[in-house]
Amino acid sequence: MKVSRERAERTIRERVLAIRPRGVKLLDRNRGMARGHLTGGHRSFVMPAGHNKWRDDQPITVDEGSGTSTQHVIMIESADGEAAGPGGSSLVKQERTEGDDPQHSREIQTVETGDQSTTAMPQPRTRRSITAVSGMPNAIKSETDKETLTVTKRLLHTGSDHRSDPERLGLGPLGCPAVPGSDYLPIFRQSQRTDHSCGDGDRDALDTGSDDPSCSYVTEMDPGNIPLGLETQTDLSRGDWNRYRSSVFSEGCLGKKGEGLVVDEVTVKVEGDVPPTRNGDRHLGDGHSQGRGFLDYRESLETNPNVTTHSTLHAFRDGDPVSRSMGPSDSHGHVLFDQILNSNDMARTQAQGGEATSGNSKEKRFLCMFCNKGFSCLQKVEIHQRVHTGEKPFSCTQCQMRFAQTGDLKRHQRVHTGEKPFGCHLCRASFSHSSSLKRHQRVHTGEKPYSCPQCEKRFSHQHHLKIHLKVHTGARSFACTHCGKSFSERSYLRIHQQKKHSTI
DNA sequence: CTGGGGAGGGGGCCC
DNA sequence: CGGGCCCCCTCCCCA
């Protein structure tokens, strides 16, 4: 397998160098940062193992600046790809050929001009989804889905260390980094309008009234130290806006510096059915434990044509199409952005961070470009923005789960190790979560901090209160598909179906 | 059988 | 990086 993979890589490399030295993205999901081979791999184009049926002639439109060209996408599945599970190894090669498609040109133009023109695209192409599910059988979207995909080449940077691994990003310690080389200069040019920020007026405290629609950072590009290309995991729960934009950098599949080849910024606009939100997905699904639930979750992420990713590290440039799309002038972007945060996120943002920009603005000068929440340093805002972008650079070596924060990964790994370091001193119970222990101890203390406003009933779990509230509201949102009977809880529905209809 | 409630597992996110 | 909170999920018990 190794020989096979090396051969494939060598072939790709040779062809890349021969054909399009700057326009290649190589992606190997098995060689994420954990292995240190390809630290900047994006999951932008993920062909499922077993679905490597992307034809060699499936084009991706590429803006070459002065014109357009068509790239071919070739998926090469490593021999161990499928065996490695959903995150199996795969390579994506984009091979440039000539022969423009007028339709592609139109797509590029619409993207380059941004704004509503993208949404008003007269005849969206019907195209096989570029976002496919790893290991999922019906991954390829219906041909009827209207999807477009545009790859826009923006920045070429070769010959340097395209650092993408969070540990190598050159970012300082989380505590508050001295951004290397003062690369980032926060500039607050936020509009009084907050269309791009979920319409949360509370976050306008630091607005300065500039017409610039976005909170921008000026990046003084240091060719040798550009933090780019965090591997991206899309996350519908946080962002189902239709714009897909990520920066694709590769250090070269062979891990050799200087061969980095760049299809730099990839803008993929996908139009299709309204995507399910994560919450909706979960309600529709019937399992969420580590097995099936996770796969469902992945499916929701990767099969949905509206899955988007966004590499925030590039999003601060002026003239950036994404910035425009998120700007007040982009009504479509406004709508899309409203979808980014579900109501829970909105409420949480307001509750937890809504005052961040107003309470201590001097301390929290770095604003999230998506929600305007303020942070005290750049790295924190970058981590926060993963909430919106879906970037999850930290992957579990055991199960392919991915996390936006390293601490979450560390905590998750207790699932595999069985470690439960939080033991109750009143009983023998132990937990992997500190919060679980704290919650458990309410059993001993009798504390029930969650009270129902309707009947004064109290609960030790907040979720219990939430369920209980349905008693008052009469909400029954789980209906049996067989008999129509509705239930207030999914578990009730499931039990009902098991007993009445023998499903599941 | 249905539904209410207790409890634990675990991810997201912020401090 | 750990602590902590929030949230969703499932399982279980019991009236």
Side-chain angles (χ1 to χ4, degrees):
Chain A
M1 289 189 292
K2 182 180 178 181
V3 171
S4 175
R5 182 167 54 226
E6 289 177 349
R7 183 176 304 150
E9 291 171 346
R10 184 168 56 250
T11 302
I12 290 172
R13 180 180 162 202
E14 291 171 354
R15 296 184 65 181
V16 163
L17 294 177
I19 299 174
R20 193 173 189 275
R22 301 190 311 167
V24 174
K25 180 184 80 169
L26 296 174
L27 184 149
D28 186 338
R29 279 176 287 144
N30 261 4
R31 295 188 175 188
M33 57 195 67
R35 298 187 186 183
H37 289 266
L38 180 63
T39 60
H42 274 249
R43 295 168 56 90
S44 304
F45 306 134
V46 179
M47 175 62 79
H51 286 278
N52 51 347
K53 298 182 186 300
W54 272 352
R55 298 188 309 274
D56 192 33
D57 57 354
Q58 283 185 303
I60 297 175
T61 304
V62 176
D63 178 11
E64 288 279 334
S66 59
T68 62
S69 65
T70 300
Q71 287 194 348
H72 288 215
V73 176
I74 299 174
M75 172 59 69
I76 299 174
E77 290 286 342
S78 298
D80 59 346
E82 185 65 9
S89 173
S90 61
L91 298 174
V92 173
K93 175 185 176 183
Q94 297 175 358
E95 178 181 352
R96 175 187 174 186
T97 63
E98 300 301 330
D100 296 342
D101 182 343
Q103 179 68 38
H104 299 163
S105 300
R106 286 198 299 273
E107 292 172 0
I108 287 174
Q109 290 167 4
T110 56
V111 169
E112 289 301 305
T113 55
D115 301 337
Q116 289 95 337
S117 60
T118 54
T119 63
M121 192 180 307
Q123 296 292 335
R125 291 175 60 86
T126 297
R127 186 177 298 175
R128 191 180 295 275
S129 173
I130 198 76
T131 308
V133 170
S134 198
M136 297 301 294
N138 302 313
I140 302 302
K141 292 295 297 179
S142 166
E143 292 286 340
T144 59
D145 288 345
K146 293 180 291 185
E147 301 156 350
T148 61
L149 180 149
T150 301
V151 177
T152 303
K153 171 170 165 282
R154 300 280 295 182
L155 170 68
L156 294 179
H157 180 69
T158 60
S160 65
D161 184 4
H162 296 288
R163 300 184 177 202
S164 55
D165 190 320
E167 286 78 11
R168 299 169 56 208
L169 282 176
L171 301 176
L174 182 59
C176 257
V179 180
S182 299
D183 287 345
Y184 291 87
L185 303 176
I187 297 177
F188 303 109
R189 294 180 296 176
Q190 292 175 263
S191 170
Q192 295 288 356
R193 302 172 59 185
T194 56
D195 299 20
H196 58 298
S197 59
C198 307
D200 186 350
D202 293 342
R203 303 184 191 117
D204 294 345
L206 286 185
D207 286 353
T208 59
S210 167
D211 290 334
D212 192 304
S214 62
C215 170
S216 299
Y217 292 80
V218 169
T219 301
E220 297 179 358
M221 302 300 285
D222 177 357
N225 191 14
I226 300 176
L228 292 173
L230 283 177
E231 186 166 337
T232 298
Q233 166 87 12
T234 55
D235 187 342
L236 271 183
S237 70
R238 301 306 175 199
D240 49 9
W241 63 95
N242 289 346
R243 301 284 169 79
Y244 179 116
R245 184 180 184 88
S246 66
S247 298
V248 180
F249 282 84
S250 169
E251 292 184 68
C253 62
L254 300 182
K256 185 176 179 180
K257 291 183 180 180
E259 293 182 356
L261 324 155
V262 191
V263 171
D264 299 295
E265 290 193 21
V266 178
T267 297
V268 177
K269 184 179 77 65
V270 181
E271 296 181 354
D273 297 331
V274 176
T277 64
R278 174 184 165 197
N279 289 339
D281 223 22
R282 283 187 171 186
H283 284 295
L284 291 173
D286 198 18
H288 174 65
S289 42
Q290 291 298 309
R292 183 176 172 273
F294 171 63
L295 293 178
D296 289 344
Y297 183 49
R298 287 182 59 87
E299 180 179 23
S300 72
L301 298 182
E302 299 187 13
T303 58
N304 193 293
N306 295 54
V307 167
T308 58
T309 65
H310 185 108
S311 179
T312 61
L313 297 178
H314 288 274
F316 303 107
R317 285 192 289 273
D318 276 340
D320 186 301
V322 163
S323 297
R324 289 199 300 270
S325 70
M326 291 298 182
S329 62
D330 186 353
S331 60
H332 184 55
H334 174 90
V335 173
L336 294 173
F337 196 78
D338 282 345
Q339 298 174 343
I340 293 173
L341 297 178
N342 59 32
S343 58
N344 289 337
D345 294 324
M346 296 284 285
R348 186 187 310 167
T349 300
Q350 290 181 341
Q352 296 181 352
E355 299 177 357
T357 58
S358 58
N360 199 1
S361 59
K362 290 184 179 180
E363 296 294 331
K364 299 180 177 180
R365 298 178 299 117
F366 294 88
L367 301 185
C368 172
M369 64 173 293
F370 295 97
C371 66
N372 277 4
K373 185 175 180 180
F375 294 87
S376 58
C377 56
L378 175 63
Q379 189 170 7
K380 286 183 178 178
V381 74
E382 287 181 343
I383 292 173
H384 161 77
Q385 285 181 158
R386 293 174 190 162
V387 172
H388 307 296
T389 64
E391 286 183 4
K392 294 185 175 182
F394 305 98
S395 60
C396 177
T397 58
Q398 307 274 342
C399 69
Q400 305 299 323
M401 280 286 286
R402 306 181 67 85
F403 301 89
Q405 300 184 23
T406 181
D408 290 341
L409 170 60
K410 187 174 182 178
R411 184 181 62 183
H412 158 77
Q413 287 178 329
R414 294 178 192 146
V415 173
H416 303 300
T417 64
E419 182 187 8
K420 294 184 176 180
F422 305 98
C424 177
H425 63 280
L426 295 175
C427 66
R428 293 185 176 182
S430 60
F431 306 88
S432 60
H433 274 50
S434 61
S435 60
S436 295
L437 171 60
K438 184 174 182 178
R439 185 179 56 188
H440 158 78
Q441 288 178 328
R442 294 174 190 156
V443 175
H444 302 303
T445 64
E447 181 187 8
K448 293 185 176 181
Y450 306 101
S451 60
C452 174
Q454 304 285 335
C455 64
E456 303 302 326
K457 196 171 177 61
R458 304 185 70 87
F459 302 90
S460 59
H461 274 48
Q462 189 179 33
H463 183 57
H464 299 157
L465 171 59
K466 193 170 184 178
I467 295 173
H468 165 76
L469 287 174
K470 295 177 181 177
V471 174
H472 299 299
T473 62
R476 280 173 166 72
S477 52
F478 301 97
C480 177
T481 56
H482 299 280
C483 65
K485 187 176 178 64
S486 60
F487 302 86
S488 59
E489 274 297 297
R490 187 204 309 275
S491 59
Y492 304 156
L493 169 62
R494 182 171 50 80
I495 294 172
H496 162 81
Q497 289 180 329
Q498 288 174 343
K499 294 179 178 178
K500 289 288 187 181
H501 309 293
S502 300
T503 60
I504 305 177

